[in-house]
Amino acid sequence: MTDDEIVGHPMPALLRRLYLEVANGGFGPDGVLSLTDTGKWYSEEESLLRCVREIKSDPEFLYLLHTPPLMTLGCAIWWHVDFRTPEARMWGWDPNALCERHRFFEERFTLAQWLENWLEGNRTFPHPPPVVDCPDCLN
């Protein structure tokens, strides 16, 4: 089964090359998920494909299907990558920061920029945008 069949969009070219030419997971700031089960877990999950299958099986989380999880930072905070965009836009998931409607948010950078930041020695955390018109976030 191809990523098109599972996610509905092709894997962004850079991410595909990383999985094929660098490693099946474990690269990046805290270890990107393996694409398939390797017997070694990164980011508290078996594999990216397993995460996507779990998303597909739960109607509550179908909105995450095109932006599968890539890596966790702990405390339920995740990085996601957008398969709908060729440049692989990054998304953040932080259920501790905002209300349920705003816990998943688009970041200001791409996968390449995120990895470049890591190679420069930085560890970036998802940064939710300010929400000024949501009474649930302001409490």
Side-chain angles (χ1 to χ4, degrees), residues 40-57:
K40 183 170 182 174
W41 286 26
Y42 303 102
S43 289
E44 302 174 6
E45 294 291 337
E46 177 183 298
S47 71
L48 180 74
L49 291 178
R50 182 178 176 132
C51 287
V52 169
R53 287 185 181 112
E54 288 174 3
I55 290 168
K56 284 185 88 164
S57 71

Side-chain angles (χ1 to χ4, degrees), residues 75-122:
C75 298
I77 300 170
W78 280 85
W79 284 113
H80 291 248
V81 63
D82 195 336
F83 276 40
R84 298 169 297 186
T85 60
E87 70 278 8
R89 298 291 313 170
M90 295 297 290
W91 285 68
W93 171 277
D94 186 350
N96 309 300
L98 299 170
C99 76
E100 188 172 327
R101 288 179 305 163
H102 297 108
R103 65 183 172 195
F104 187 62
F105 44 88
E106 186 173 11
E107 284 288 352
R108 61 192 182 285
F109 44 82
T110 65
L111 175 63
Q113 293 165 326
W114 179 74
L115 288 168
E116 182 179 332
N117 192 43
W118 163 63
L119 290 170
E120 291 172 353
N122 301 311

Side-chain angles (χ1 to χ4, degrees), residues 6-27:
I6 294 172
V7 176
H9 296 276
M11 183 179 289
L14 174 59
L15 187 57
R16 179 182 298 276
R17 287 194 66 198
L18 288 167
Y19 278 123
L20 292 173
E21 299 174 25
V22 175
N24 186 5
F27 56 87

